[in-house]
Amino acid sequence: QVGVGCCCTSTAMAQQSSDLKFSVDRDGDGAVHALRDLTVKITYANGFTEERTRKAGDLVIAGLRLIIGLWKFETDAEVVQINWNGSQWTGLDVKSKAVLAPPAQLPQDSQRKAQVQQVKSKISMMKLIPANRWGITGKQLMALADQVVQKFTGSDENPNVYEVVDKLIKPLCKESGVSYALLLNPKGIKCSTFVTHAWFESFLAFVDDIRDHYPDFETRVFWICFTANPQTWSPAELSDLLGPSALQSPFAIAIQQCDTFLIVRNRSKNLYSRLWCVAELVLVNAYGDCVVEVIGNMPPRAQERGGDIGLNA
């Protein structure tokens, strides 16, 4: 057999393949042998591809099957391109996979890619679990209230939901990237009670109102927006999760699946000044098949006017 150095052009002789030996036998047929145990993907000159596994010294491909033109051989270590003109191999081009690998990325690029992967992972998890299973039990809600008391001990604050989300829920969920409900219940638990409320309210008063209303509070499963939805996501990520229409949103899915729609009023603000609360009331009237209940005190001004915030926005 004649080695590649004898049958390739002088420009190709400077290169050598560490995996493959290209030769021409005594009958003038081209042949390729493996120089080590390997698996090689072969792209024929006519575009046909196949994969072969060979041991060191084995024939990879023989002359009678060769087609005139440019051939490509790819192993785990290198990509080899070479031309067969019917009588000899020419134009050998060998590229190491190490050379072909993308250049080392800047730390900020690596961090960005890691963040993108994390986003894909958490979106996948949130979407794999049906929205009506983004629930939290009364016992878990009470445990969160206990954490709030500890967090704000010694301060004069009576934190509203915005403050609890920013100072407690977001830090707890930052690493996982999922909602607080799925952080506690990774497989999700089916909700029985959808809660509509305004974030301006006192968080502790909100929990107390619900606890006092239900004898089975600890075991009842609630769908509450600030625990059901991921609070660490960007607006763009949340938009992707919520979908193009309120009718297709997790809110709508949960409302249709729950047995009870609970309206929690508060003394700080008319909950229907929050558009999502109005949308939830519209959804339950249009698509809900559940019991609607109203609890909690109204803002003083609404009481003075004799209004009745609850079933009407």
Side-chain angles (χ1 to χ4, degrees), residues 8-21:
C8 290
T9 63
S10 59
T11 56
M13 290 177 64
Q15 297 194 55
Q16 294 290 333
S17 170
S18 300
D19 291 341
L20 302 168
K21 177 182 179 181

Side-chain angles (χ1 to χ4, degrees), residues 41-56:
K41 179 182 178 182
I42 307 170
T43 302
Y44 289 60
N46 63 3
F48 175 77
T49 62
E50 67 173 319
E51 193 171 275
R52 297 183 176 186
T53 300
R54 294 290 186 266
K55 292 187 176 298

Side-chain angles (χ1 to χ4, degrees), residues 199-218:
W199 287 28
F200 300 102
E201 67 209 340
S202 158
F203 174 84
L204 296 176
F206 165 75
V207 175
D208 287 343
D209 284 343
I210 300 175
R211 181 195 59 193
D212 294 344
H213 183 65
Y214 290 113
D216 62 344
F217 170 77
E218 285 201 352

Side-chain angles (χ1 to χ4, degrees), residues 81-294:
Q81 294 190 85
I82 190 168
N83 188 70
W84 172 251
N85 65 13
S87 62
Q88 65 178 356
W89 296 103
T90 64
L92 176 67
D93 181 48
V94 181
K95 286 187 171 63
S96 168
K97 287 284 185 74
V99 173
L100 290 175
Q105 297 174 332
L106 297 173
Q108 59 186 25
D109 292 336
S110 300
Q111 184 178 12
R112 183 181 62 80
K113 285 199 170 186
Q115 289 172 342
V116 169
Q117 186 58 43
Q118 183 183 35
V119 167
K120 289 180 179 179
S121 175
K122 64 192 182 186
I123 288 178
S124 176
M125 180 177 178
M126 294 295 301
K127 287 187 173 180
L128 281 174
I129 300 173
N132 66 312
R133 295 185 63 85
W134 299 355
I136 183 173
T137 66
K139 185 175 182 179
Q140 290 172 333
L141 183 60
M142 202 66 219
L144 178 60
D146 290 339
Q147 291 184 65
V148 169
V149 171
Q150 294 175 14
K151 179 73 174 178
F152 291 88
T153 295
S155 71
D156 295 328
E157 295 183 68
N158 182 12
N160 60 30
V161 176
Y162 286 106
E163 294 168 308
V164 171
V165 168
D166 285 339
K167 297 181 180 179
L168 194 58
I169 290 180
K170 285 183 178 180
L172 288 171
C173 298
K174 183 178 180 180
E175 184 175 350
S176 68
V178 298
S179 70
Y180 184 73
L182 292 189
L183 180 69
L184 298 183
N185 311 297
K187 295 183 179 179
I189 47 176
K190 190 177 184 304
C191 305
S192 62
T193 304
F194 185 98
V195 180
T196 182
H197 67 111
W199 287 28
F200 300 102
E201 67 209 340
S202 158
F203 174 84
L204 296 176
F206 165 75
V207 175
D208 287 343
D209 284 343
I210 300 175
R211 181 195 59 193
D212 294 344
H213 183 65
Y214 290 113
D216 62 344
F217 170 77
E218 285 201 352
T219 56
R220 186 175 283 258
V221 182
F222 300 94
W223 201 101
I224 307 171
C225 57
F226 66 84
T227 60
N229 292 315
Q231 300 301 325
T232 58
W233 290 20
S234 69
E237 294 164 358
L238 282 173
S239 178
D240 179 74
L241 181 70
L242 296 176
S245 167
L247 299 178
Q248 300 170 302
S249 68
F251 294 84
I253 295 170
I255 286 171
Q256 292 178 62
Q257 297 293 323
C258 284
D259 301 323
T260 304
F261 183 85
L262 180 66
I263 300 167
V264 183
R265 302 180 298 197
N266 69 89
R267 293 181 59 83
S268 301
K269 194 86 170 181
N270 181 345
L271 76 161
Y272 294 123
S273 63
R274 186 167 179 250
L275 288 179
W276 265 112
C277 293
V278 177
E280 290 161 0
L281 186 64
V282 171
L283 288 170
V284 75
N285 279 292
Y287 303 104
D289 183 20
C290 54
V291 175
V292 179
E293 300 175 342
V294 183

